[in-house]
Amino acid sequence: MATFGTRPGVSTDAEWLPMDVRRPEEVASTVDRLRPTVVINTASRASDWATTAEGAVRVAVAAERRGARLVHVSSDAVFSGARVHYDESARPDPVTPYGAAKAAAETAIGVLVPRAVVARTSLVIGDGGSAHEALVHELAAGRRDGALFTDDIRCPVHVADLASALLELAFSDRAGVCHVAGADAVSRYELGVLVARRDGLDPAALPAGRRADLGVPGALDVRLDSGRTRRRLRTTLRGAREFLASAGSGTGLL
């Protein structure tokens, strides 16, 4: 069973139900109807506080009231990049509204549902279906202006590896913060080059730039240290250089 905010997902393996996490009565009635044993919350909407912060807390409270196991998906956006390397013990210091909303949700869930897992992740890449991959195609084709930053560094994760890890955490006895990111730290430009090579595009067509030069707000270099979580998972959290090495990079599912 899965829920959606604006449109149902493409998977036919799930029954899709509409749910707006900004509406307390809708969250409560949906959870009461489904009586789940596990809730994995991936909902967020940029800097929309009502969805990303308040909505996450509503889901957490509803899950706890029903006795359901909660895995809340958070983001490396909770960090400023001042330290570059961040393990699970690092305290959030966000510099964007989105990061602040994610950090607020983490804090509230840690207090209200201490047995929950808060799973921080990074850029999520698929086999052609992510926003990052779409951007690369648009830039390579000249359909969009902009540049891929060479100084904006993250630890991208494959969506299938992330999904597998979240399920594994859901059915474990883990609690608190876990980092679930890929093994490689790469710039957005390097990530774009990897996507272009996999998809048969010309990497030379990708425009490069420096985020620091343009004054775009947000953290520059944020590298999630997922070592502790990785050692306790059966799921392999591959690096971008591995899962983008060729088309059809596999699923990594349990």
Side-chain angles (χ1 to χ4, degrees):
M1 195 73 66
T3 61
F4 65 93
T6 55
R7 62 182 183 277
V10 298
S11 174
T12 58
D13 295 329
E15 179 182 349
W16 293 91
L17 298 175
M19 187 179 77
D20 188 340
V21 297
R22 296 170 298 179
R23 300 178 180 275
E25 68 285 353
E26 198 167 314
V27 173
S29 63
T30 301
V31 172
D32 286 344
R33 172 188 170 189
L34 297 180
R35 298 174 178 267
T37 56
V38 171
V39 173
I40 300 176
N41 181 22
T42 65
S44 66
R45 183 176 291 164
S47 58
D48 179 4
W49 190 272
T51 298
T52 306
E54 295 172 357
V57 176
R58 291 189 188 100
V59 172
V61 169
E64 179 71 1
R65 182 170 55 84
R66 273 290 174 188
R69 169 78 162 156
L70 174 68
V71 178
H72 171 76
V73 179
S74 190
S75 167
D76 57 12
V78 301
F79 296 123
S80 69
R83 288 177 49 180
V84 178
H85 298 276
Y86 294 88
D87 64 16
E88 288 92 340
S89 67
R91 293 181 178 273
D93 61 339
V95 292
T96 64
Y98 173 67
K102 279 293 192 183
E106 284 190 10
T107 300
I109 291 168
V111 172
L112 297 172
V113 193
R115 68 190 186 99
V117 171
V118 173
R120 292 183 186 135
T121 192
S122 191
L123 300 180
V124 182
I125 305 298
D127 291 321
S130 73
H132 311 288
E133 292 160 283
L135 173 62
V136 170
H137 279 251
E138 291 174 358
L139 289 173
R143 296 193 300 268
R144 181 167 174 174
D145 294 330
L148 296 173
F149 298 133
T150 59
D151 58 346
D152 188 329
I153 298 172
R154 299 294 187 272
C155 296
V157 65
H158 193 280
V159 64
D161 297 347
L162 175 59
S164 180
L166 293 176
L167 285 173
E168 193 174 339
L169 289 168
F171 292 97
S172 75
D173 59 359
R174 294 293 303 277
V177 174
C178 296
H179 283 181
V180 189
D184 296 334
V186 298
S187 71
R188 290 183 186 259
Y189 178 75
E190 183 181 356
L191 181 62
V193 169
L194 291 170
V195 169
R197 288 173 176 164
R198 182 200 65 184
D199 295 347
L201 306 175
D202 181 8
L206 297 175
R210 280 172 41 87
R211 185 171 186 161
D213 294 339
L214 298 177
V216 177
L220 291 177
D221 194 340
V222 178
R223 309 184 190 199
L224 291 185
D225 179 352
S226 303
R228 188 181 73 173
T229 298
R230 188 180 294 115
R231 288 190 293 271
R232 299 184 180 185
L233 291 175
R234 296 188 303 277
T235 301
T236 299
L237 297 171
R238 296 168 292 169
R241 296 185 185 95
E242 178 181 351
F243 66 71
L244 288 172
S246 62
S249 54
T251 64
L253 291 173
L254 291 173

